[in-house]
């Protein structure tokens, strides 16, 4: 009897184990099917998205590059003509170098001339004067370099029907980025980044800044830098009897001067808004991230952050004003967030095509290492070239005062395999659309 009972218990246990194994097997098959189905659905969604976008285009695309890129140009307005003449007010530590790179590439791809300085220039000329301009070119289509804004000068040297735009960043964030990037810690050595900033506050009578004094030692490109970039007169502000009205008048004048003001914190959205307002294409606003710090310093004490905001009050007034106008402009644009999603997807795919890794670059920032195919494409190489080098190569190519015998010496200065060189700026083919190349093996039409 016991032997029979034991046998029954054994058989029951064995059956239970077998049932569990069958369930595990079913679950495994089920998970596999779910994963496979999900992947198929994602692929179908991508293909359908591209197909639907091509069907939604409001006018036939006849841009110089047919193919996948042309099929996804989204327009939510009536047909327009690309903006040819552009003035960009380059601001410090706002992502403006990325936009300058966009405008340099836009000029190269559309046969538009840049208003450049004589070779070899500094990009930090504060005052614009005719004597510094490129030999043989006093008028051009695009200006995108550092300089204190001078509307009269730029209107005389940029062709008519130009549009003006700039970009602003949250002033506290901009201050921290500039303090780190321009290595102000060397002037104010301390145990921590935050302690270095505190030493800066205590030095040179900075407590009187914007009250009794308009001068701020070691504040260049750091304190209220965006206001200075846009031509604000700090001395006039400090000496006026009514500072609030002085700032209000400046903001009203600025709103009439700049056709568009972008915001760094919404960088991709800003680029899509720029694309719409200047009638550009997706390929025109692609970018690779540049000059991003490997080590990002932080400040935590509320007192320090409040002190930064106090010193940055001009830029804060400027930022708050144009941040509000930015969102009012975004609200006017139907379908802009759908277009933003498409742009981010495209830019991510292009980044994967162009870049295969990273290394330590300029002043402790990330530098991209291009893929073999990326090195063969002008857009990839140009996107990965520092603005100063890009500009100087264009100056050397276009300045008639630069002699042929000087070209060989100049070419030896620019040998980074992941950036443009003089031969590429002069001869490299611009016709291969990087969006087409990035998606070549992904979709078939």
């Amino acid at each position: 009897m016991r032997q029979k009972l034991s046998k029954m218990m054994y058989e029951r246990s064995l059956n239970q184990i077998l049932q569990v194994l069958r369930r595990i097997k079913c679950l495994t098959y089920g998970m596999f099917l779910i994963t496979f189905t999900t992947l198929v659905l994602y692929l179908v969604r991508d293909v359908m998205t591209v197909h639907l976008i091509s069907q939604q285009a409001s006018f036939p695309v006849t841009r110089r590059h047919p193919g996948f890129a042309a099929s996804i140009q989204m327009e939510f307005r009536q047909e327009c003509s690309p903006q040819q003449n552009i003035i960009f007010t380059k601001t410090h530590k706002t992502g403006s170098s990325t936009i300058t790179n966009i405008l340099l590439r836009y000029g190269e791809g559309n046969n538009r001339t840049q208003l450049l300085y004589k070779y070899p220039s500094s990009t930090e000329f504060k005052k614009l004067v005719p004597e510094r301009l490129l030999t043989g070119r006093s008028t051009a289509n695009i200006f995108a370099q550092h300089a204190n804004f001078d509307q009269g000068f730029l209107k005389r040297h940029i062709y008519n029907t130009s549009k003006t735009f700039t970009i602003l960043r949250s002033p506290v964030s901009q201050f921290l980025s500039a303090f780190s990037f321009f290595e102000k810690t060397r002037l104010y050595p301390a145990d921590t980044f935050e302690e270095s900033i505190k030493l800066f506050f205590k030095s040179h009578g900075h407590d009187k800044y914007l009250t009794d004094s308009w001068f701020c030692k070691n504040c260049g490109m750091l304190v209220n830098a965006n206001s200075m970039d846009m031509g604000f007169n700090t001395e006039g502000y400090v000496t006026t009897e009514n500072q609030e009205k002085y700032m209000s008048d400046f903001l009203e004048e600025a709103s009439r001067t700049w056709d568009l003001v972008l915001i760094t914190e919404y960088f991709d959205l800003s680029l899509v808004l720029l694309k719409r307002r200047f009638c550009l294409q997706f390929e025109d606003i692609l970018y690779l991230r540049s000059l991003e710090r490997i080590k990002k310093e932080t400040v935590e004490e509320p007192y320090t952050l409040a002190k930064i905001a106090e010193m940055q009050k001009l830029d804060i007034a400027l930022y708050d004003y144009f941040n509000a106008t930015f969102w009012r402009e975004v609200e006017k644009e139907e379908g802009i967030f759908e277009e933003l999603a498409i742009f981010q997807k495209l830019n991510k795919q292009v980044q994967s095509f162009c870049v295969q890794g990273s290394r330590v670059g300029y002043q402790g920032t990330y530098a991209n290492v291009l893929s073999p195919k990326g090195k063969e494409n002008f857009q990839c190489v140009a996107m990965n070239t520092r603005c100063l080098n890009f500009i100087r190569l264009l100056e050397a190519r276009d300045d008639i005062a630069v002699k042929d015998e000087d070209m060989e010496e100049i070419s030896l200065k620019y040998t980074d395999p992941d950036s443009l060189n003089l031969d590429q700026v002069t001869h490299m083919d611009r016709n291969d659309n990087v969006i087409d190349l990035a998606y070549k093996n992904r979709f078939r039409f």
Side-chain angles (χ1 to χ4, degrees):
M1 185 71 179
R2 286 182 180 178
Q3 188 176 5
K4 186 176 180 181
L5 182 62
S6 177
K7 183 178 179 181
M8 290 176 61
M9 291 178 66
Y10 171 77
E11 290 176 350
R12 181 179 298 176
S13 298
L14 183 62
N15 286 333
Q16 288 176 344
I17 291 171
L18 289 174
Q19 287 178 5
V20 171
L21 290 175
R22 289 192 196 99
R23 288 174 182 174
I24 292 173
K25 185 176 180 180
C26 291
L27 285 173
T28 302
Y29 280 127
M31 290 177 67
F32 173 78
L33 288 173
I34 291 171
T35 303
F36 179 77
T37 304
T38 301
L39 290 173
V40 170
L41 289 174
Y42 270 115
L43 181 61
V44 170
R45 184 200 65 177
D46 286 345
V47 173
M48 290 302 295
T49 298
V50 172
H51 177 70
L52 288 172
I53 292 170
S54 64
Q55 296 299 314
Q56 290 174 358
S58 60
F59 64 94
V61 179
T62 57
R63 196 86 188 270
R64 63 187 183 280
H65 301 300
F68 178 79
S71 72
I72 57 172
Q73 299 304 338
M74 297 178 66
E75 288 293 338
F76 296 85
R77 300 173 292 109
Q78 294 181 348
E79 183 175 358
C80 56
S81 299
Q83 183 64 34
Q84 301 294 336
N85 305 316
I86 299 170
I87 297 171
F88 174 55
T89 305
K90 194 172 188 300
T91 48
H92 285 87
K93 302 309 299 172
T94 59
S96 64
S97 291
T98 300
I99 295 179
T100 290
N101 184 284
I102 286 172
L103 294 175
L104 295 175
R105 289 185 286 114
Y106 180 67
E108 289 295 287
N110 293 275
N111 198 28
R112 300 291 94 187
T113 56
Q114 304 280 343
L115 189 66
L116 301 169
Y117 299 126
K118 293 177 181 178
Y119 179 86
S121 73
S122 163
T123 61
E124 291 299 332
F125 279 135
K126 295 299 182 184
K127 186 173 178 59
L128 290 167
V129 293
E131 292 76 19
R132 288 174 175 158
L133 294 179
L134 197 74
T135 308
R137 182 187 296 165
S138 60
T139 310
N141 301 105
I142 299 171
F143 181 78
Q145 298 195 56
H146 273 307
N148 285 350
F149 183 73
D150 185 338
Q151 186 179 22
F153 179 93
L154 291 170
K155 290 295 185 181
R156 290 193 298 272
H157 294 278
I158 296 294
Y159 294 121
N160 292 333
T161 69
S162 63
K163 283 190 175 182
T164 304
F165 78 105
T166 190
I167 184 168
L168 298 176
R169 180 179 182 178
S170 175
V172 173
S173 173
Q174 187 273 341
F175 177 95
L176 296 175
S177 177
F179 200 92
S180 176
F181 183 82
F182 296 117
E183 298 181 324
K184 299 292 186 179
T185 51
R186 292 187 177 186
L187 295 175
Y188 307 96
D191 292 336
T192 66
F193 180 71
E194 185 161 353
E195 290 300 321
S196 179
I197 292 176
K198 290 179 180 179
L199 285 178
F200 168 78
F201 290 149
K202 295 175 183 178
S203 304
H204 319 303
H206 284 170
D207 57 318
K208 298 180 180 179
Y209 176 61
L210 296 183
T211 53
D212 298 334
S213 173
W214 59 271
F215 177 71
C216 186
K217 188 173 182 179
N218 294 331
C219 291
M221 302 176 289
L222 179 66
V223 177
N224 295 312
N226 292 173
S227 299
M228 307 303 124
D229 293 329
M230 294 176 69
F232 186 81
N233 185 343
T234 312
E235 183 177 5
Y237 173 81
V238 172
T239 57
T240 187
E241 294 182 357
N242 191 337
Q243 292 183 345
E244 185 176 346
K245 184 178 185 304
Y246 192 93
M247 174 56 77
S248 177
D249 290 345
F250 174 77
L251 293 175
E252 289 182 10
E253 180 64 25
S255 67
R256 293 189 292 269
T257 301
W258 280 270
D259 298 288
L260 183 64
V261 177
L262 310 181
I263 300 296
T264 304
E265 285 72 23
Y266 314 102
F267 193 76
D268 287 354
L269 181 60
S270 290
L271 290 180
V272 174
L273 184 60
L274 177 69
K275 171 185 177 292
R276 289 180 167 218
R277 294 300 173 85
F278 284 27
C279 200
L280 307 179
Q281 305 291 342
F282 279 124
E283 64 184 279
D284 298 323
I285 61 171
L286 296 170
Y287 69 94
L288 301 179
R289 295 190 179 279
S290 64
L291 298 182
E292 287 193 352
R293 304 290 291 181
I294 295 174
K295 181 182 179 182
K296 295 188 177 182
E297 306 284 2
T298 59
V299 170
E300 297 180 356
E301 289 187 19
Y303 168 81
T304 308
L305 296 172
K307 188 64 178 177
I308 294 171
E310 182 183 341
M311 290 196 74
Q312 288 277 73
K313 70 176 185 178
L314 301 180
D315 274 8
I316 286 177
L318 188 70
Y319 178 84
D320 288 347
Y321 181 87
F322 281 108
N323 185 40
T325 66
F326 172 80
W327 287 107
R328 285 198 292 270
E329 295 304 313
V330 168
E331 289 173 359
K332 297 176 184 177
E333 299 292 333
E334 182 181 354
I336 191 171
F337 290 101
E338 289 83 352
E339 190 170 3
L340 170 63
I342 296 297
F343 168 64
Q344 290 176 325
K345 190 178 185 69
L346 291 175
N347 204 56
K348 183 178 180 180
Q349 189 68 22
V350 168
Q351 169 107 11
S352 298
F353 172 80
C354 292
V355 178
Q356 69 175 11
S358 63
R359 56 183 170 82
V360 178
Y362 176 71
Q363 286 191 219
T365 59
Y366 284 109
N368 296 313
V369 176
L370 296 182
S371 66
K373 290 184 179 180
K375 291 180 179 180
E376 297 174 356
N377 178 263
F378 178 82
Q379 286 277 69
C380 288
V381 183
M383 280 191 286
N384 202 47
T385 301
R386 282 185 57 219
C387 282
L388 178 57
N389 291 350
F390 201 159
I391 289 168
R392 284 183 174 170
L393 287 168
L394 295 179
E395 291 169 349
R397 183 193 68 185
D398 297 347
D399 193 336
I400 62 174
V402 177
K403 300 177 182 178
D404 291 340
E405 53 265 31
D406 298 327
M407 287 296 196
E408 184 175 352
E409 181 181 348
I410 293 169
S411 66
L412 296 176
K413 296 180 180 180
Y414 305 98
T415 57
D416 181 353
D418 297 304
S419 299
L420 287 172
N421 58 45
L422 189 58
D423 181 69
Q424 290 171 320
V425 165
T426 306
H427 300 113
M428 194 172 187
D429 181 30
R430 272 85 160 146
N431 290 324
D432 287 337
N433 187 292
V434 69
I435 297 178
D436 287 344
L437 293 174
Y439 277 84
K440 183 177 180 180
N441 298 320
R442 187 171 182 181
F443 299 115
R444 303 294 184 193
F445 293 95

